[in-house]
Amino acid sequence: MLDLRRLRLLRELNERGTIAAVADALQYTPSAVSQQLAILEREAGVPLLERAGRGVRLTDPALVLVGHAEALLERAEVAEADLAAAAGTVAGRARIAGFQSVTIHLALPALQALARDAPRLRCEFLEAEPEEGLPMLALGDLDLVLADEWQHQPRRLPDGVERHDLLTDPVHVILPARHRLARRDRDAVPLVELAEEPWVTGETALGWDEMTNRTCRELGGFHPDIRHRANDATIIVALVTRGLGVALLPELPLRSHGRGIAVRRIAEGPVTREIFAATRGADAARPSTRALLTAVRNAAAALTP
């Protein structure tokens, strides 16, 4: 009989790549991980690991076993969720992750509500971009991830992860308050009139930067002159306030902006992003997961006019 705990170690090694990474994620020592994998190898009766440089890699029989482990572990997780649902108590540990703007406007109100309404549930928060948080969710390191999906940039979810749409977040042009276009008596700005401006956006690896380039190119007909990059919307707003550039920002991080900027619609047409929560499908019946979803949905509903 193969041990589920050892099968999980094999699956984790397949996903994370090194014994050290598995040990760090599961709070074991590397020697303990190696010892348990050696026992699993004896139980399986075939070699599961082979040397690869300074590390190890899975053999072909190990990869076959990983496929079965995925199914077995998922069934075990569903069984645990069903048992928790039968007990009906919102308790245990719940780990939630999100990036800056959804953290402030969704995660924190949700955590505050859970502290009041589900005091037996230990809630933990991690700041993480979706590119980092969604794989962690699939591996079981998190229980709920708040993520976004930019228009024309569909986000692929890991296997076993479910999406729960929360709200649509419109994108706006932000200008320095004294900008020539900000002084016009209009609520929309043509992007083409910003073709010669310096621009501010996020890091090149994130969807925000791709959205800025695509929107300027497809709606404005130009490639933006990007001078400054930051992932923190507060820094973006500060750069624009000081007249160092213009930017495209969603409405959510602009809900608490100061007086130094002007917020205008995009004249050529709307651009949006979708904000959603992601959970593991195997946890659908778990009371703690349902409580997390209810809390973030209520927080999102409070933002909708």
Side-chain angles (χ1 to χ4, degrees):
M1 181 69 68
L2 298 174
D3 187 287
L4 283 178
R5 291 170 297 179
R6 297 185 189 114
L7 286 175
R8 185 186 180 196
L9 291 176
L10 189 69
R11 182 194 69 175
E12 296 291 320
L13 181 58
N14 183 55
E15 293 288 344
R16 301 181 191 272
T18 67
I19 287 176
V22 173
D24 182 62
L26 302 182
Q27 298 183 352
Y28 290 169
T29 64
S31 61
V33 173
S34 297
Q35 183 182 47
Q36 291 300 308
L37 288 172
I39 295 172
L40 179 62
E41 194 170 58
R42 290 198 298 271
E43 291 175 342
V46 294
L48 298 178
L49 304 177
E50 58 188 13
R51 300 300 304 177
R54 295 184 178 181
V56 296
R57 65 185 176 195
L58 275 63
T59 63
D60 288 344
L63 293 173
V64 171
L65 187 55
V66 165
H68 290 290
E70 292 284 358
L72 291 169
L73 290 166
E74 182 179 358
R75 289 304 306 167
E77 289 170 356
V78 171
E80 290 175 355
D82 287 344
L83 283 173
T89 302
V90 181
R93 182 186 184 198
R95 298 157 296 179
I96 184 172
F99 54 95
Q100 187 198 46
S101 58
V102 294
T103 294
I104 293 171
H105 296 287
L106 296 179
L108 296 186
L111 291 172
Q112 187 176 19
L114 288 166
R116 180 189 66 239
D117 300 334
R120 294 182 59 189
L121 184 64
R122 174 189 169 95
C123 292
E124 300 175 3
F125 170 77
L126 173 69
E127 184 179 8
E129 296 290 336
E131 290 79 3
E132 178 187 7
L134 290 171
M136 293 176 67
L137 173 67
L139 286 172
D141 296 337
L142 295 167
D143 299 298
L144 182 144
V145 171
L146 291 167
D148 60 355
E149 180 181 81
W150 296 95
Q151 187 173 327
H152 305 303
Q153 298 175 56
R155 189 179 290 282
R156 183 179 179 276
L157 297 181
D159 292 341
V161 170
E162 295 183 347
R163 170 174 170 157
H164 314 271
D165 289 327
L166 297 174
L167 57 89
T168 298
D169 199 16
V171 174
H172 301 296
V173 179
I174 62 168
L175 311 165
R178 297 183 179 180
H179 193 280
R180 56 185 174 81
L181 297 180
R183 295 197 297 268
R184 290 182 182 176
D185 187 21
R186 300 178 187 174
D187 65 352
V189 168
L191 287 178
V192 68
E193 296 192 38
L194 299 172
E196 302 303 319
E197 298 284 342
W199 282 77
V200 187
T201 186
E203 291 184 8
T204 54
L206 300 181
W208 180 6
D209 174 70
E210 205 280 340
M211 178 276 297
T212 299
N213 280 279
R214 179 194 290 266
T215 301
C216 290
R217 185 173 63 250
E218 294 185 355
L219 297 185
F222 66 95
H223 293 278
D225 175 15
I226 297 175
R227 304 277 184 92
H228 313 289
R229 296 183 184 275
N231 289 338
D232 187 331
T234 303
I235 296 175
I236 298 291
V237 170
L239 286 163
V240 174
T241 298
R242 287 162 175 75
L244 298 173
V246 299
L248 295 176
L249 267 181
E251 185 174 294
L252 200 58
L254 292 173
R255 286 177 174 263
S256 56
H257 72 81
R259 298 181 178 179
I261 63 170
V263 179
R264 299 290 186 269
R265 291 188 299 106
I266 300 171
E268 289 87 348
V271 176
T272 61
R273 69 169 176 174
E274 298 299 320
I275 303 296
F276 64 93
T279 60
R280 287 187 301 279
D283 290 340
R286 196 180 294 274
S288 58
T289 300
R290 291 181 175 181
L292 284 175
L293 276 173
T294 297
V296 296
R297 282 171 172 156
N298 288 343
L303 296 175
T304 304

